[in-house]
Each structure stands twice: as structure tokens, then as C-alpha cells.
Amino acid sequence: MTDEPVLAVRDLVVEYRTPAGPVRAVRGASFDLYEGESLALVGESGCGKTTLGLALLRLLPRLGSTPHGEVRYRRADGSTVDLLTMRKEQLRRFRWHEAAMVFQGAMNALNPVLRVQDQMYDTIRAHRSMSASAARKRCHEVLDMVRLEPRRVMPSYPHELSGGMRQRVLIAMALLLSPRVLVLDEPTTALDILTQRSIVDVLQELRRELGFAMVFVTHDLALAAELADRVATMYAGRIVELGDSRDVFAAPRHPYTAGLIRAVPPAVGEATEISSIPGGPPSLAALPPGCPFSVRCGLSAEVGDGDGPAGVCVQADPELTRTGERHEVACHYSDRVEFTREVVVDGV
Amino acid sequence: MSVTEADPVAAAAPTRPAVLRVLSAVWRSYAFRRILKAVLTVYLVATFTFFLVRLLPGNPVEVYINTLMQQNGMSYDQAANMAKALYSFDPGKPLVVQYLDYLNGLLHGDLGNSIGSPGTTVGSILVAYLPWTLFSVGIALIISFCLGILLGMAMAYRRNGVIDHVLSVIGSLLHSIPNYLLAIMIVVFLGIQLNLFDVSQMRGAYSPGVTPEFSADFFSDVMYHAGLPITTYVLTTIGSWMLVMKSSTVETLGEDYVTVAKARGLRDRRIATAYVGRNAVLPLFSQLAIAAGFVVGGSILIEQVFQYQGIGYLLFRAVNDRDYPLMQGIFLVITIAVVLANLVADLLYGRLDPRIRIGGGER
Ligand SMILES: Nc1ncnc2c1ncn2[C@@H]1O[C@H](COP(=O)(O)OP(=O)(O)OP(=O)(O)O)[C@@H](O)[C@H]1O
Ligand code: SF4
Ligand SMILES: [Mg+2]
């Protein structure tokens, strides 16, 4: 591992054009992803996790754009490129070969009219010239890695496979070209608990063996605690807390992260401590002034003496600032966040 | 199977279940059931037209018999015998017998004799006219479908661009013009007023004096005569192909697997053909089937306007002559065309869409 990050995201802004005008789904995200590291992106539905993940590979839909920011990628040879200014053909070569993605809701991620093997060959052929037998061998390798039976899966059409198998095929597909960065968008959502478990195990094992860096999006904090070296909490298009997962889960410094953790039922023990965060996330089109969390923030209300949120919280949107050695938080009162509960899940 | 384990017959004849299994596999086969359905449809329509034609007023044989009686002073029996010989059609027979005769004839490919041109079989007339319709409308359908799909995809890829807007306007305009109107407009404006070509010379399926043969000359003559009908068919159908393909492509472009294909770094051309095009065109095949089925039926007015000697032109003549056997034959051909086209498209669709291919065999 080197000190330089493979992926350095700086002040990234993503906008969607909507009939009601542009909406910022990501509002200035910055983070580094180091080689071999695993970063979990957590947050409520609609906070911009998928959008951020897509923007990393420049895969935003037609109506999405990145008016601002930088996604710097460092190649194996040490040279760096900004993905957002990359040319078309260069970008095409970059994708999958350097960074691959496993999409959210992957049920429809495979072309229904092509056999799995043809889609895998397509992927290889787009990047390498490889003999048919070598390509076949490579496909067998990656399918073995995700514990699928190549002979059964390769000649199948996507609809002939179960949801869990398809998800594995997609992971296998992502590994085909040995990328250095893997973005996984809720790779286990919509799968039953046993399938989830086995996919998580496969991911753990693969990361140990292959050492790729990984950004993975999840709602499941237990999974984040288990798989991630670092955690980023997103709220209303911003990263509001970023730190080593042990630190974040043991002592969150942002009221929102603390709320998320409290909302998870403990694996053991009584459930009395569970509490959800009141209200819902604000509309991105009409954010409240100051800190977007202010309307729901218990801490701010406390500081503001029951008189609505504290003044500073509605006046200024807090910047992401360093509070610990490898811990950054965007909250005016981060030093007053109290969190007493034990770590929810401690790396099973 | 309801055979119990103790049944001695089942134990003694182990081959029977195997035979049954094959039969039931055939029965469950998608293709088999489709074909059976097609045959049944043709039979029903043939029966229906048979009775419909009998119910029409002014039975031509009776009319002919009356004419003979009045003009030649024959007795009814004489006249009827003569008519019977000419038409091989006996109105005196009970309807059921007529029907069975008719079905028997159909099974042997015998559609009866024409009334308009006594002495000729309906079959031979159809054989002379049908190929021209199949040829002209078939070519037009292929051109229109392929071109429409390409243009539709181009519109979808550049949606809201200039190409899209221009083609949308042209497409919906063409789509809304009835084909016979366009044909008349072509004849009147381009042919007569602007005198761009000689409409009267372009009549017929090929020029008089030219003998049908496999030669470049004959082919170019045929194309010369088919040119206007083909142009008309293409122009009046391409609009809807374009628009349908565009919307199908736009929908497909939003599918996850297209984004994933992009993420996998596939080349644009590969994505456009195997990922977007192939999926977008699938729903159009059922419409292609319907269109192909109307190949014959849709030609009626056009062939009349251009005096192109195909089946549509023939139907006009048959109606004028009250040539019921011929009409019956033409309706049958039209039916068979529709049914066959649907069958082919269904079977083809099954080959193109793996999800359906499976769906036929299991549940
Ligand atoms: N194509 C689009 N056009 C307009 N707005 C969009 C589009 N896609 C997403 N958004 C908006 O951007 C915001 C972030 O969406 P995104 O899908 O990134 O959220 P998410 O965090 O991944 O949510 P989830 O957990 O439900 O997957 C949402 O408010 C959503 O409404
Ligand atoms: S800045 Fe204020 S409102 Fe925002 S999270 Fe911190 S305390 Fe709550
Ligand atoms: Mg998402």
C-alpha cells in the first residue's frame, strides 16, 4: 500500500436536470480511497449514494451532470487522470478495466437476450485481445471465485438464474479484468438473508485475495461495520461524517450518524434503545438554510433551548472538518455529540 | 398418468409411457400448438366464407341460368346442366353436401372454377396474380421495416435533436396519409401534372410483349412497374415503424443493462446492436407479423389505382363480376397470409427472445 489514494474525489457536485430546474443530488463530496481499502457509503434513501457511485465512473443518466469537482484516479504506474475531463475513448478503456461497478437492483443488469457467456466475452473483447480459450478460462476463474458453477452458468440466459446467482455473475463480471477499484451499490439488498451472507463472505474473501479498493453503498450498518475499513455517512447530498469504521461506530461525531446507529436493533441485548430519527430527509430541491439536518437534529434543539435549532445551525452549513486523526465531521457541535451505546456489531 | 403401481398392463408394457411421454412433449411444444391453432383458424375462416358467400344475394349461377333460359329459350334443367358443367357448381345440392365437396376440394387444392372467366380454375388465376402482390408488398415491407428501424434508432439516439424533430414531423405526416390517397396524389401530381413519368406505361406487373424469364431485362422491367406501388407502400408505412422504433429504443436505452454495458466499456457499436437494437426491435415483431399478414389485404386499393396486376386488382374484378368462387379463393388467400405471417412471427419471436422460448415448454 502506498500513501497516495487510488481515487481522490474533490468537491464533487452532481446535478440532475428536472422539469422544476436543476437539483443537486451530490453537493460537494470529497474523500480519498486508498489502495486495497474498503469504504462504506451509508445514509437514508435518496441521499445521493447511488448518484455519487455513478459519478465516480461517469455513468450518470442523460439528465445528470457534474458541473463541478474532480475525480482523480491514480494508475498503477503512478500517473493520475481526472475522470471528469477524460475523453470518450479513454474513458471507455478506463471503465471496467481500472474501475468496475456492481449496480443496485441488479436484476435487470444483464442483457436478457444474450447468454451469460456472451456477455462475459463481450466484456473481455472490449478491452483485450484474447484467444477464445483464454477468455473461456478467465470466465471460469472468476465464476469459480464467486462460487458459481461455470458449466451451468455460462450457457444460461439471465432469466434462467436466480437473483442470488445473477448477483454473483455480476460480481464475477466485475472481476473479469481485475480492476483496481470496485464500486458496489447495495450488492445484497433484495436478496434473502442466507444469500446475502454468502455474497458478503465471497466479497470478504475476494478482497483479501485480490486486494482491490472498494466503495460500497449500503443501508445495512452491520454490513458496513463488517466489510468496511472506513465509513462515510451521507446526508442530503453531502458527506457529513467520514472516518475509520471502528471510530465512527464506537463514537460517532455527527448527530445523524449517531441516530442511524441507534436506529439499528442490537444484535444481542434488549431492544429498548432503538429509536428512529424523527422526520424524513429534506427535499433536495428545497433545502433548509444552514445545516440540512437542523430540522431533525435533537442536539441542535437541545442547544437551542427548545426554541428550535440553535442559531448557528440555521445560519451556516457546517463544513467537513477534522476532529480526530482520521475522522472528519460536518457539524457545528460535533464535540457535544453523546453516544454511549456499545458498538452495534463488532466485525463478526 | 392415472395408472396405479399394481396395474399389470403398465408393468407388462413399459414402452407405453414412453410413447405417451413423447406425445405429451409434442403436445406441450410451443410450435406444435401454434401450428395447430393456425390450421384451425384457416379452417374456420374457410367455413365462414363458404357460408357467407352462399348467403350473399344474387347467386351468380342462378343469374346465369336465368339468362340462358331467357336468351336461348332453354328449359331450366337444360340451363342448369350447362351451368353446372361450366362452373362445377350445383345450387340444387343440399348445402351440407356442397360444403363437404368444398372442403374436399380444398384438401386437394381445388378452389373451384371461376365464374367471371368460365372454364378457368380459381387456383390457376390466383397463381398468376398472387406472386406480383407478394413480390411488391413484400419488398416494400422489408424496405420500410429496415429503414424505419434504422431511422427510429437514430431518432432515439439523438432525441430532441434536429434529426429527431424533422423525422418526427415527417413520420407522423406520412403515417396519417391513407395509402390510396398517396397513390392517387402520385398519379395526379407527379404523373399527370408534372409529367415525371408515364403512368399508363407503368401499368401492369410487366410490360406487354416482355416474356417472364430470369434475366436482368425482365427484372428491371418488373421493378419499373412495381416502383410506384412499392414507393407508396414504403412511404405510407415507414412513418409508423420509425415512431414505434424510436419509442421502443428510448425505453431500452433507459434499461439497466445498457448502463451496465456502458460501464463495462463495450464499444458503442456493440451496445447499439446487441444490447439496444436487439431488445428494442423485439416488441416490433408482433407488429411486423400483422403488417406482413396485411400484405395481401392492404394491396387492394393501391393495385387498383396503379392498375398493378396483383391480388388486390383481382379482387376488384371478382367483386365486379360477382365471381364468388374467385372471391372465396381470394379471401382464403388473405386469411392464410395473415395466419401464416402470425405463425412465422410467433415462432421467430420465440427464437429471438429466449424468455419466450423457455416459456413454451414449462410453466
Ligand atoms: N435521473 C434522475 N433525475 C432526477 N433526479 C434524480 C435522478 N436520479 C436520482 N435523482 C434524485 O437524486 C437524489 C439521490 O438519488 P440516489 O439514487 O443517488 O439516492 P440513493 O442514496 O442511492 O438512494 P437509495 O438508497 O434509495 O438507493 C434523489 O433525491 C433522487 O430523487
Ligand atoms: S450542525 Fe447543528 S443541526 Fe447540523 S448536525 Fe450539527 S448540531 Fe445538528
Ligand atoms: Mg441507491
Side-chain angles (χ1 to χ4, degrees):
Chain A
M1 259 192 236
T2 46
D3 293 348
E4 295 288 309
V6 244
L7 210 58
V9 179
R10 290 290 169 272
D11 211 9
L12 182 65
V13 173
V14 181
E15 250 173 30
Y16 285 114
R17 257 185 295 144
T18 69
V23 166
R24 293 204 160 181
V26 175
R27 304 181 301 125
S30 303
F31 66 89
D32 289 331
L33 181 71
Y34 293 89
E35 251 171 80
E37 179 189 54
S38 142
L39 173 72
L41 222 50
V42 300
E44 274 164 302
S45 189
C47 68
K49 306 179 298 291
T50 298
T51 303
L52 179 55
L54 290 174
L56 295 183
L57 272 90
R58 264 180 71 186
L59 283 168
L60 291 168
R62 267 169 76 89
L63 296 176
S65 60
T66 47
H68 190 78
E70 223 179 55
V71 179
R72 225 174 320 114
Y73 175 78
R74 205 170 54 82
R75 296 198 185 86
D77 63 11
S79 62
T80 63
V81 272
D82 180 8
L83 288 179
L84 300 188
T85 57
M86 236 187 211
R87 300 282 267 288
K88 210 172 160 229
E89 177 62 15
Q90 203 186 358
L91 184 65
R92 184 186 76 70
R93 286 168 192 281
F94 168 84
R95 284 174 180 160
W96 225 253
H97 171 62
E98 306 269 8
M101 180 159 184
V102 176
F103 287 79
Q104 180 174 11
M107 289 309 101
N108 200 17
L110 291 167
N111 185 349
V113 301
L114 288 186
R115 293 174 195 280
V116 168
Q117 59 191 20
D118 294 325
Q119 306 198 41
M120 297 185 90
Y121 294 153
D122 268 353
T123 313
I124 296 178
R125 230 176 293 129
H127 297 274
R128 315 236 162 105
S129 51
M130 209 187 250
S131 74
S133 64
R136 190 172 185 79
K137 193 160 151 269
R138 180 63 190 150
C139 292
H140 277 245
E141 270 169 33
V142 290
L143 287 171
D144 279 336
M145 282 182 201
V146 297
R147 301 189 204 139
L148 283 175
E149 200 186 315
R151 263 169 242 292
R152 150 108 172 72
V153 171
M154 300 248 305
S156 298
Y157 285 97
H159 70 273
E160 297 167 337
L161 305 175
S162 71
M165 288 167 87
R166 263 183 268 186
Q167 192 67 33
R168 283 160 202 248
V169 166
L170 289 169
I171 294 173
M173 186 99 83
L175 300 174
L176 261 182
L177 306 174
S178 318
R180 296 173 64 225
V181 175
L182 196 56
V183 179
L184 298 135
D185 193 355
E186 304 194 21
T188 60
T189 317
L191 298 175
D192 66 84
I193 221 90
L194 288 178
T195 316
Q196 276 188 19
R197 188 68 253 156
S198 74
I199 286 189
V200 169
D201 290 345
V202 163
L203 282 174
Q204 283 274 44
E205 194 183 305
L206 288 174
R207 207 165 68 82
R208 257 202 312 276
E209 275 173 30
L210 305 175
F212 47 79
M214 177 162 109
V215 177
F216 78 94
V217 171
T218 183
H219 284 290
D220 186 346
L221 291 195
L223 179 65
E226 183 182 346
L227 266 178
D229 302 323
R230 282 197 303 150
V231 179
T233 314
M234 276 189 86
Y235 188 77
R238 280 218 157 169
I239 294 180
V240 293
E241 179 157 14
L242 178 63
D244 286 350
S245 60
R246 272 177 186 278
D247 295 349
V248 172
F249 285 118
R253 300 266 102 219
H254 193 283
Y256 179 62
T257 316
L260 281 181
I261 298 172
R262 269 190 219 109
V264 178
V268 271
E270 75 281 21
T272 47
E273 285 179 275
I274 306 167
S275 59
S276 64
I277 306 169
S283 153
L284 289 171
L287 288 176
C291 174
F293 191 56
S294 58
V295 273
R296 301 166 75 188
C297 182
L299 175 61
S300 188
E302 210 179 291
V303 176
D305 285 336
D307 204 23
V312 61
C313 294
V314 287
Q315 278 154 20
D317 195 355
E319 293 288 324
L320 198 62
T321 39
R322 192 166 294 269
T323 60
E325 199 194 333
R326 277 161 63 85
H327 202 151
E328 292 168 88
V329 183
C331 171
H332 296 302
Y333 294 105
S334 64
D335 52 340
R336 294 179 61 167
V337 175
E338 281 172 26
F339 188 79
T340 46
R341 210 171 106 187
E342 282 298 294
V343 176
V344 182
V345 176
D346 195 346
V348 177
Chain B
M1 255 164 279
S2 57
V3 186
T4 56
E5 279 178 85
D7 193 333
V9 181
T15 50
R16 215 177 65 190
V19 172
L20 283 181
R21 225 177 302 131
V22 171
L23 280 181
S24 84
V26 169
W27 172 247
R28 270 189 279 120
S29 127
Y30 179 65
F32 176 76
R33 273 180 302 162
R34 265 320 265 109
I35 291 170
L36 201 71
K37 211 167 101 187
V39 171
L40 198 69
T41 312
V42 171
Y43 164 73
L44 285 178
V45 172
T47 301
F48 182 71
T49 39
F50 173 83
F51 288 106
L52 191 72
V53 164
R54 302 301 119 150
L55 289 175
L56 286 176
N59 183 322
V61 179
E62 293 289 357
V63 172
Y64 188 69
I65 293 173
N66 282 335
T67 331
L68 284 181
M69 281 161 64
Q70 277 159 20
Q71 287 178 353
N72 305 3
M74 290 183 185
S75 73
Y76 180 84
D77 281 348
Q78 275 179 314
N81 273 335
M82 195 163 164
K84 236 169 33 185
L86 258 182
Y87 295 134
S88 62
F89 176 74
D90 182 359
K93 274 194 202 168
L95 204 58
V96 182
V97 179
Q98 283 186 40
Y99 175 62
L100 291 179
D101 282 351
Y102 167 73
L103 283 189
N104 188 36
L106 271 190
L107 280 180
H108 297 90
D110 177 10
L111 292 167
N113 287 351
S114 160
I115 291 177
S117 13
T120 24
T121 63
V122 168
S124 65
I125 299 180
L126 289 179
V127 166
Y129 283 77
L130 186 59
W132 297 112
T133 297
L134 292 182
F135 165 75
S136 60
V137 193
I139 297 252
L141 187 65
I142 292 167
I143 294 177
S144 175
F145 186 73
C146 295
L147 215 60
I149 275 172
L150 289 179
L151 292 176
M153 272 189 84
M155 286 162 79
Y157 264 91
R158 309 205 191 303
R159 59 186 172 286
N160 295 324
V162 183
I163 299 183
D164 180 22
H165 287 306
V166 171
L167 286 180
S168 288
V169 172
I170 296 178
S172 34
L173 207 69
L174 286 176
H175 176 60
S176 57
I177 302 179
N179 56 10
Y180 59 88
L181 204 65
L182 185 69
I184 292 173
M185 274 160 45
I186 288 179
V187 170
V188 172
F189 292 114
L190 302 186
I192 297 171
Q193 297 210 329
L194 296 178
N195 219 356
L196 287 180
F197 40 76
D198 187 345
V199 180
S200 62
Q201 244 183 44
M202 295 176 83
R203 286 181 175 174
Y206 50 88
S207 306
V210 177
T211 42
E213 57 186 8
F214 278 106
S215 72
D217 281 350
F218 180 65
F219 183 72
S220 71
D221 186 59
V222 163
M223 286 314 286
Y224 173 70
H225 286 269
L228 289 183
I230 289 180
T231 309
T232 311
Y233 296 133
V234 169
L235 285 180
T236 49
T237 52
I238 195 170
S240 61
W241 290 128
M242 252 160 51
L243 298 178
V244 175
M245 184 62 183
K246 179 197 161 178
S247 72
S248 181
T249 308
V250 167
E251 203 175 299
T252 309
L253 281 172
E255 295 284 357
D256 288 347
Y257 54 81
V258 175
T259 312
V260 176
K262 246 181 252 166
R264 279 151 57 198
L266 301 199
R267 292 189 176 83
D268 286 347
R269 177 179 288 267
R270 178 73 187 156
I271 296 179
T273 52
Y275 288 73
V276 178
R278 208 162 143 198
N279 281 290
V281 87
L282 273 182
L284 269 72
F285 274 98
S286 54
Q287 292 171 51
L288 181 65
I290 296 169
F294 286 117
V295 156
V296 179
S299 65
I300 297 169
L301 293 165
I302 303 284
E303 290 184 354
Q304 188 58 22
V305 172
F306 290 117
Q307 296 285 299
Y308 187 79
Q309 275 144 21
I311 208 103
Y313 175 85
L314 189 63
L315 183 62
F316 247 83
R317 215 184 70 187
V319 171
N320 270 342
D321 296 353
R322 294 188 178 232
D323 193 339
Y324 291 149
L326 186 55
M327 275 160 69
Q328 205 167 285
I330 293 174
F331 287 138
L332 199 64
V333 165
I334 292 178
T335 308
I336 291 176
V338 173
V339 170
L340 208 64
N342 274 295
L343 178 67
V344 168
D346 267 8
L347 297 181
L348 198 69
Y349 193 74
R351 287 233 59 76
L352 293 175
D353 190 340
R355 285 162 296 188
I356 295 201
R357 207 181 306 162
I358 295 303
E362 54 172 34
R363 267 184 302 160

